[in-house]
Amino acid sequence: MLVAEAGFVEIQPKILYFGTPVVLVSTLNEDGSPNLAPMSSCWTLGWTAVLGLTLVGKTVENLCRGMECVLNVPGPDLWKAVERLAPLTGKFPVPETKAAQFRFEPDKFGASKLTPLDSELVSPPRVLECPLQLEARVCHIREMTGPELQSIGGAAAVEVSVVRVHARRDIVHGERYIDPARWQPLIYNFRHYFGLGRELGRSFRAEV
Ligand SMILES: Cc1cc2nc3c(=O)[nH]c(=O)nc-3n(C[C@H](O)[C@H](O)[C@H](O)COP(=O)(O)O)c2cc1C
């Protein structure tokens, strides 16, 4: 087929968030209070997760110091709470690159109307309303080198090791599975929130 007939155009999209689950990362501030930040550049392999975080945020500062976090995974019903957190930063003063759109908020749980719940192995609290909560410890932080990342103050790839998983009882199947028919992530799709559509099929390795 000729390239001209294939139906594609070359574009330079301003953002490349092509649809990944939202995670609310809880960390501890230097005074021991909790910070909570939405992010979506997160993936897992085994019990290891990698987080892509801008260096100007409070979350990355807290991770470098405290080396612990909880990855709280919300369902679609929590999108409004996530969006309440969206214009906030725990960093004071607000970094210049964010000053036009963000404001400082020391009480992110209160501002989002989400409830802190004690963790078992790490210091930052979990988010009660999130059906999946992964307690984790930082094992590696690497600065990312993409040239366009410099304009937003740089970014880091933070590798964390999950040390405990909490799942709300109603999404658990048997002893060791999350039931994909009852669990749904909240998807951040080019800065719009979506749930999942209906199931299309199962992988040859699906066990439930
Ligand atoms: C749904 C959603 C996803 C986001 N994903 C990321 C992300 O993957 N990485 C990142 O650095 N910031 C992401 N952000 C922006 C941060 O939440 C924002 O910079 C926030 O101010 C960070 O808070 P903090 O400074 O208290 O850490 C996302 C925001 C929203 C609403």
Side-chain angles (χ1 to χ4, degrees):
M1 185 184 284
L2 292 172
V3 173
E5 290 169 1
F8 295 91
V9 290
E10 190 255 328
I11 72 163
Q12 302 202 349
K14 290 175 77 174
I15 48 163
L16 262 182
Y17 297 143
F18 50 72
T20 42
V22 175
V23 173
L24 298 178
V25 187
S26 49
T27 53
L28 280 196
N29 299 317
E30 55 273 37
D31 64 1
S33 63
N35 188 42
L36 188 61
M39 56 101 53
S40 58
S41 303
C42 172
W43 51 268
T44 55
L45 187 62
W47 276 43
T48 297
V50 179
L51 321 175
L53 290 168
T54 61
L55 293 181
V56 294
K58 187 69 181 177
T59 299
V60 86
E61 179 191 311
N62 287 350
L63 287 169
C64 289
R65 189 189 53 258
M67 303 295 277
E68 292 182 337
C69 64
V70 183
L71 307 179
N72 302 278
V73 196
D77 57 312
L78 290 180
W79 83 266
K80 285 187 178 165
V82 172
E83 189 51 23
R84 281 194 289 274
L85 287 168
L88 310 178
T89 175
K91 192 109 164 172
F92 185 83
V94 178
E96 213 173 292
T97 51
K98 295 173 78 167
Q101 289 188 302
F102 290 79
R103 66 178 191 279
F104 169 62
E105 174 55 69
D107 178 15
K108 300 268 200 89
F109 274 94
S112 59
K113 303 194 181 103
L114 293 169
T115 315
L117 179 66
D118 283 348
S119 294
E120 292 177 357
L121 299 179
V122 301
S123 305
R126 299 180 268 157
V127 175
L128 174 68
E129 290 81 359
C130 290
L132 264 180
Q133 306 145 353
L134 318 182
E135 297 187 30
R137 294 203 177 97
V138 174
C139 34
H140 191 70
I141 301 179
R142 171 185 168 276
E143 193 165 343
M144 295 167 76
T145 54
E148 80 292 354
L149 295 172
Q150 300 317 311
S151 67
I152 55 166
V158 181
E159 185 181 326
V160 303
S161 186
V162 174
V163 292
R164 183 149 292 177
V165 177
H166 306 269
R168 209 173 57 200
R169 196 174 300 282
D170 61 302
I171 63 166
V172 175
H173 178 91
E175 279 183 25
R176 298 196 60 188
Y177 293 96
I178 303 298
D179 185 341
R182 283 181 283 167
W183 155 250
Q184 284 218 355
L186 168 63
I187 301 294
Y188 199 43
N189 182 7
F190 288 98
R191 289 203 171 126
H192 292 250
Y193 299 99
F194 284 78
L196 294 182
R198 65 176 182 81
E199 181 178 353
L200 301 175
R202 48 190 293 165
S203 146
F204 80 106
R205 298 190 65 195
E207 293 174 13
V208 293

